Amino acid sequence: MSFLQEPPRLGNTYDADPLLREYLARALPPSALFAVEPELRYLGELSGGRLFRMQLEDRLNEPRLTQWDPWGRRSDAIELTPLWREAARLAAEHGLVAVPYEGKNGEFSRLHQMAMVYLLEPSMDVYSCPLAMTDGAARTLVDLGNGELVRRALPRLTSRDPARAWTSGQWMTERVGGSDVSRTETVARLSPDGWRLYGTKWFTSATTAEMALTLARPEGNPVGSKGLALFYLETRDAEGRANGIAVNRLKDKLGTRKVPTAELTLDGARADPVAGLADGVRNIASLLNMTRLWNTVVAASGMRRALHLALDYSRRRTAFGERLAEKPLHRDTLASLEAEAEGAFLLAFRVAELQGRVEAGREGERDRLLLRVLTPLAKLTTGKQAVAVASEALEAFGGAGYVEDTGLPRLLRDAQVLPIWEGTTNVLSLDALRALSTPGAVEALSEETERALGAARDPSLRGPAEAASRALANARGWLASARDAEEAFAAGTRRLALTLGRALELSLLCGHAQWCLDQGKGRRAAAAARRFSRQAVDLVDPGLDPADARLLCDVP
Ligand code: MFK
């Protein structure tokens, strides 16, 4: 008999996730948990069962663009994959965007929503992308208080009826680049029937959206981001005709292959200013911060999926006379990944908690400052973890992790986008630094970590708590001693941000572990804190010489 490998299997991904269940028991009032748990369990069953099988069957399908109809008319029709069509239906029916706006569980509605996203996303092939932008667009319209646009678009963006539900695009990136948005070249001209946009959008994700928020420079406005304005547009009119928008081509990307990402030409697209004719970047910031939160939760959920599969496989696969799960070396490797995934999860959901408090008007000034600082820190930290964990998880399958029809390589390809879109690690490090310069922000961050670390009384958590405190003290010292203009400080911004992100994760792990010990929920969480504390938390290194970087990059 020749040997045949057992594929990894998934069960109910809610029941198989002790951290998610512990966390929800800790963070939600019992009545809210009682209300949302049946749906989460249902989605866990779906995500590990029917939807997962469908995802594997859908592997080779990709979106298709048809630019012309048979009679020569421009159509620019984009056909989505079967899984995406199913994901769109599920997302609307379960309110993946709607829940925080319905607010049935008050400030906890965000947690409910993000728990659903966390469960479904790994089997939805990045349908989280249009949902994130839709959520961000809804939040932005509400925050900017444009009553007319809120009345027109919000009921669609938050609809639970798949036939009525809209998604939104977020068109920012142009040929000049995705980071320095201030150089946006799209021009807005006032015509007799309103504003019209002209330009090229170089990277627009999920281009099947019914509306978009985008940036353009009203003619005559000054250069720079303050001269940009935020515009709302609908992509087609009531008869389905394109609104002065042509799809030039779909992008051929490393991952997110199911996301129809396109290059667009705007040639007189009708659009409405959302909030005046300037300060476009500031006005789109709510959208950026929301998609960064989604990015963080998606990073945590991708890590969880990779580990569900790798852990299950380790219990089936035998090599050298034993199951992999019984080999200390294999266990040690997976344990390190598990600690990373748990830290990322707790940071992601901490940001979701704060977002929910702010939206429900339950926040104080401290929560607001904390949310502003934690959003970029969490996005940049978890993005890096997601790639590292996915890469190691693939290796845990040996060659099978590198073979396409196992469905495993997708985990790494789709993780690789997370540190790139919505602001790269370096750009977000700079954003975090800017947020930390707001008076009271550093203090809010310190209080946050001290609270979690102060709670960790168990002797087994003393070492991890001290490691987190040391890293934070080092980061604060670096922040206080350095000046913006110094090259060494500028060069260290990413290390500083990652240190803060990782130290935050460690402090949250300590706090959660103590709660688990107090509630008789076992010692797994404490083990995660201990393991994480040994995995490069403090990356601040004032001894690194920027002159070496110049030499290595050959810059005179
Ligand atoms: C899995 C789910 C993922 C979601 C999928 C989405 C699909 C992908 C779609 C995209 O990728 S869309 C493109 C995403 N692009 C980015 O994320 C842009 C990355 N670049 C930055 O974030 C830059 O830092 C930024 C463009 C904001 C810098 O622009 P500027 O022109 O140098 O502006 P500046 O002066 O830094 O900021 C202008 C104002 O905005 C300032 O306020 P004031 O006018 O009051 O001084 C800033 O404080 C404010 N601001 C900037 N970022 C902010 C913010 N306010 C709050 N939160 C922020 N994050």
Side-chain angles (χ1 to χ4, degrees):
M1 292 285 282
S2 59
F3 175 80
L4 281 180
Q5 206 72 260
E6 278 282 305
R9 292 186 199 147
L10 292 174
N12 182 315
T13 58
Y14 179 73
D15 287 330
D17 194 335
L19 176 61
L20 173 63
R21 286 184 291 114
E22 287 157 15
Y23 169 78
L24 292 174
R26 172 163 71 79
L28 294 180
S31 59
L33 182 59
F34 183 77
V36 304
E37 191 166 44
E39 185 174 31
L40 296 180
R41 181 159 282 124
Y42 171 80
L43 294 178
E45 187 62 35
L46 189 64
S47 189
R50 181 174 71 79
L51 209 57
F52 179 52
R53 288 192 295 279
M54 191 173 171
Q55 181 184 40
L56 292 173
E57 284 160 17
D58 199 63
R59 188 178 63 82
L60 294 175
N61 294 323
E62 296 200 349
R64 276 212 316 261
L65 167 66
T66 305
Q67 285 173 308
W68 304 97
D69 80 3
W71 307 102
R73 287 181 193 83
R74 186 83 192 221
S75 62
D76 285 346
I78 297 174
E79 191 188 334
L80 296 174
T81 59
L83 183 70
W84 260 50
R85 294 200 293 271
E86 176 65 358
R89 183 185 71 76
L90 288 168
E93 287 177 358
H94 289 276
L96 257 60
V97 174
V99 158
Y101 300 89
E102 294 166 349
K104 285 194 189 123
N105 288 297
E107 66 178 287
F108 303 106
S109 301
R110 270 282 161 207
L111 291 186
H112 175 204
Q113 174 208 29
M114 286 302 168
M116 292 197 289
V117 171
Y118 174 83
L119 286 167
L120 273 185
E121 158 56 25
S123 295
M124 281 200 309
D125 278 344
V126 201
Y127 193 74
S128 52
C129 167
L131 297 177
M133 297 190 293
T134 303
D135 193 352
R139 187 73 264 152
T140 304
L141 294 179
V142 172
D143 284 353
L144 293 175
N146 185 323
E148 198 185 323
L149 291 180
V150 168
R151 277 190 295 281
R152 183 167 174 84
L154 195 68
R156 296 288 200 151
L157 298 175
T158 59
S159 174
R160 282 180 180 255
D161 174 358
R164 282 185 54 77
W166 280 4
T167 57
S168 175
Q170 167 193 4
W171 300 349
M172 294 177 70
T173 304
E174 299 203 356
R175 278 193 288 242
V176 289
S179 296
D180 187 359
V181 174
S182 68
R183 292 166 66 196
T184 292
E185 291 175 336
T186 299
V187 171
R189 287 192 195 122
L190 191 56
S191 68
D193 62 345
W195 288 93
R196 290 189 177 270
L197 309 187
Y198 300 84
T200 302
K201 296 291 173 182
W202 185 241
F203 209 99
T204 65
S205 291
T207 309
T208 45
E210 285 82 1
M211 61 157 278
L213 294 185
T214 190
L215 296 173
R217 194 178 308 282
E219 257 181 338
N221 267 19
V223 296
S225 68
K226 288 199 185 309
L228 294 172
L230 177 61
F231 284 90
Y232 163 97
L233 60 79
E234 290 172 15
T235 50
R236 292 184 182 268
D237 67 15
E239 278 73 49
R241 286 181 303 242
N243 172 19
I245 301 165
V247 181
N248 301 338
R249 59 174 167 166
L250 296 183
K251 295 284 195 188
D252 188 7
K253 298 162 291 170
L254 169 71
T256 66
R257 302 280 310 182
K258 313 295 171 127
V259 181
T261 305
E263 287 168 27
L264 304 179
T265 297
L266 309 185
D267 186 14
R270 269 281 298 117
D272 294 303
V274 180
L277 292 176
D279 292 317
V281 169
R282 193 203 305 155
N283 286 333
I284 207 168
S286 299
L287 176 45
L288 286 180
N289 291 333
M290 185 59 73
T291 49
R292 288 169 186 174
L293 166 61
W294 275 74
N295 205 88
T296 303
V297 171
V298 167
S301 77
M303 288 184 247
R304 174 54 52 219
R305 171 58 54 90
L307 276 158
H308 269 158
L309 291 168
L311 284 162
D312 180 79
Y313 188 68
S314 75
R315 293 176 201 121
R316 298 179 190 281
R317 167 79 163 125
T318 53
F320 304 108
E322 262 180 327
R323 289 181 306 146
L324 291 179
E326 281 146 20
K327 304 237 173 245
L329 180 54
H330 196 77
R331 259 201 324 263
D332 188 79
T333 307
L334 294 184
S336 292
L337 305 185
E338 180 63 30
E340 292 294 318
E342 298 208 5
F345 172 93
L346 291 173
L347 183 52
F349 277 80
R350 179 65 183 132
V351 182
E353 272 172 45
L354 289 164
Q355 180 71 36
R357 278 183 74 75
V358 168
E359 284 168 326
R362 298 289 312 277
E363 88 285 12
E365 182 54 16
R366 182 184 157 282
D367 290 329
R368 204 170 265 282
L369 286 169
L370 206 50
L371 176 63
R372 176 69 185 93
V373 174
L374 259 54
T375 301
L377 286 179
K379 194 278 186 186
L380 71 92
T381 306
T382 57
K384 283 292 180 206
Q385 290 174 297
V387 178
V389 167
S391 173
E392 276 290 354
L394 257 55
E395 192 178 333
F397 292 93
Y402 201 66
V403 170
E404 290 290 354
D405 60 2
T406 62
L408 295 166
R410 184 197 70 80
L411 293 169
L412 180 57
R413 277 201 299 268
D414 287 352
Q416 184 62 69
V417 81
L418 298 169
I420 296 177
W421 66 7
E422 297 313 310
T424 62
T425 309
N426 284 359
V427 166
L428 285 173
S429 300
L430 294 169
D431 185 55
L433 197 60
R434 173 184 26 208
L436 280 167
S437 69
T438 310
V442 173
E443 291 70 22
L445 188 64
S446 300
E447 272 174 41
E448 169 79 359
T449 48
E450 278 157 20
R451 192 169 53 89
L453 294 174
R457 302 173 314 276
D458 191 80
S460 74
L461 295 172
R462 199 164 297 141
E466 282 168 7
S469 295
R470 267 198 312 276
L472 285 160
N474 229 354
R476 279 193 70 165
W478 173 239
L479 202 52
S481 69
R483 288 191 309 277
D484 279 16
E486 282 179 8
E487 190 178 354
F489 181 66
T493 307
R494 171 199 280 239
R495 288 189 290 276
L496 174 77
L498 282 168
T499 301
L500 290 172
R502 294 185 64 77
L504 266 163
E505 288 189 5
L506 180 52
S507 61
L508 293 167
L509 281 165
C510 289
H512 182 72
Q514 184 65 53
W515 181 88
C516 287
L517 293 172
D518 293 344
Q519 301 292 316
K521 293 202 182 281
R523 306 191 66 79
R524 192 211 72 259
R530 286 195 295 275
R531 171 71 54 154
F532 192 97
S533 70
R534 321 291 296 193
Q535 295 181 174
V537 177
D538 187 352
L539 305 168
V540 170
D541 187 348
L544 276 175
D545 186 352
D548 282 349
R550 284 174 169 274
L551 281 172
L552 289 165
C553 297
D554 196 21
V555 178

